[in-house]
Amino acid sequence: MSKDISLSNRTQSLVLALILLLGLLALSGFRPYDRATWVLEVFPIFIAVPLLWKTYHRFPLTTLLYFLIFLHALVLMLGAAYTYARVPLGFEIADLLGIQRNPYDKIGHFFQGFVPALVAREILIRGTYVQGCKMLAFIVVCIVLAISATYELIEWGAALALGQGADEFLGTQGDPWDTQSDMFTALMGAIIALLLLSGVHDRQIDKVKRNESGAMR
């Protein structure tokens, strides 16, 4: 009985988080700096939210992952509203670090490694696709780099298709090594996620497995 109440409370919390997320998404898209850039930047949210909703009962993720996905969405929405090169928080960070370039896009790419690393880790562990902690970490990092490279290819495609209209989406800010540094930042995000959260993640995965086992009885 207490387990059912706990699951019900989690579902209610996730529904409230979804409502809040959709409200913030609407707010970020109310008067964005550039409408086309906003659509491109928040497009992953339009893919992730329906997918998470559809798979919730069949393959619910850990609470940790839902929380991190929510944070990642906030990063995307803020960058989309202002464009990454114009986010006020980025200018504050630039002043603090004494640099010329607005670094907010690197926060986005850090999350692009940090969150997908744990998503991939959870799927691999729960599906028993990989044996051994070292091999698991290696495969997770490879997946993150593949995701990051795919995103850079999408940016390249946008640049070819839109020409100068893609400048806001690319957000290179004149940096010739922007692509490489984006991928490196995602790599660091993945490694840090594995180092800091693997233990907590394992405990939450075990909890999800126990809930699934109890539901099957």
Side-chain angles (χ1 to χ4, degrees), residues 55-135:
T55 60
Y56 178 69
H57 292 290
R58 182 165 51 89
F59 193 84
L61 301 176
T62 56
T63 301
L64 172 65
L65 259 187
Y66 284 123
F67 174 71
L68 291 175
I69 291 170
F70 182 86
L71 289 183
H72 194 183
L74 295 182
V75 172
L76 293 176
M77 288 187 288
L78 184 59
Y82 289 95
T83 76
Y84 280 88
R86 294 178 174 82
V87 174
L89 175 61
F91 288 123
E92 293 180 10
I93 295 173
D95 290 340
L96 182 65
L97 298 178
I99 58 177
Q100 297 295 321
R101 187 185 191 279
N102 187 319
Y104 185 81
D105 66 318
K106 301 308 175 189
I107 297 176
H109 284 282
F110 179 86
F111 271 84
Q112 190 185 74
F114 194 91
V115 179
L118 294 178
V119 173
R121 186 177 188 274
E122 183 157 327
I123 292 172
L124 292 173
I125 290 175
R126 291 172 61 183
T128 62
Y129 298 115
V130 179
Q131 299 295 325
C133 295
K134 293 181 180 179
M135 181 56 68

Side-chain angles (χ1 to χ4, degrees), residues 112 116-117 120 140-154:
Q112 190 185 74
V140 166
V141 168
C142 287
I143 290 172
V144 167
L145 285 175
I147 292 172
S148 181
T150 299
Y151 189 81
E152 296 302 327
L153 290 174
I154 292 172

Side-chain angles (χ1 to χ4, degrees), residues 9-210:
N9 289 339
R10 190 179 97 124
T11 300
Q12 291 177 5
S13 297
L14 289 174
V15 169
L16 291 175
L18 176 59
I19 294 172
L20 176 60
L21 177 66
L22 295 178
L24 293 173
L25 179 62
L27 181 62
S28 74
F30 178 58
R31 294 182 64 182
Y33 182 86
D34 182 83
R35 176 64 61 184
T37 299
W38 181 85
V39 172
L40 290 171
E41 297 292 3
V42 301
F43 190 70
I45 299 175
F46 288 106
I47 296 176
V49 169
L51 183 61
L52 293 174
W53 179 273
K54 186 173 182 179
T55 60
Y56 178 69
H57 292 290
R58 182 165 51 89
F59 193 84
L61 301 176
T62 56
T63 301
L64 172 65
L65 259 187
Y66 284 123
F67 174 71
L68 291 175
I69 291 170
F70 182 86
L71 289 183
H72 194 183
L74 295 182
V75 172
L76 293 176
M77 288 187 288
L78 184 59
Y82 289 95
T83 76
Y84 280 88
R86 294 178 174 82
V87 174
L89 175 61
F91 288 123
E92 293 180 10
I93 295 173
D95 290 340
L96 182 65
L97 298 178
I99 58 177
Q100 297 295 321
R101 187 185 191 279
N102 187 319
Y104 185 81
D105 66 318
K106 301 308 175 189
I107 297 176
H109 284 282
F110 179 86
F111 271 84
Q112 190 185 74
F114 194 91
V115 179
L118 294 178
V119 173
R121 186 177 188 274
E122 183 157 327
I123 292 172
L124 292 173
I125 290 175
R126 291 172 61 183
T128 62
Y129 298 115
V130 179
Q131 299 295 325
C133 295
K134 293 181 180 179
M135 181 56 68
L136 175 63
F138 173 74
I139 296 299
V140 166
V141 168
C142 287
I143 290 172
V144 167
L145 285 175
I147 292 172
S148 181
T150 299
Y151 189 81
E152 296 302 327
L153 290 174
I154 292 172
E155 288 189 341
W156 177 48
L160 293 177
L162 302 176
Q164 293 295 322
D167 287 350
E168 299 296 346
F169 176 55
L170 296 176
T172 60
Q173 301 180 65
D175 181 3
W177 305 108
D178 184 70
T179 297
Q180 290 82 357
S181 64
D182 286 349
M183 294 180 66
F184 178 75
T185 305
L187 173 62
M188 290 298 99
I191 293 174
I192 291 173
L194 294 176
L195 290 175
L196 293 182
L197 297 179
S198 289
V200 175
H201 195 208
D202 284 339
R203 290 191 291 273
Q204 292 205 7
I205 289 174
D206 289 340
K207 184 177 180 180
V208 170
K209 287 182 176 178
R210 289 195 300 269

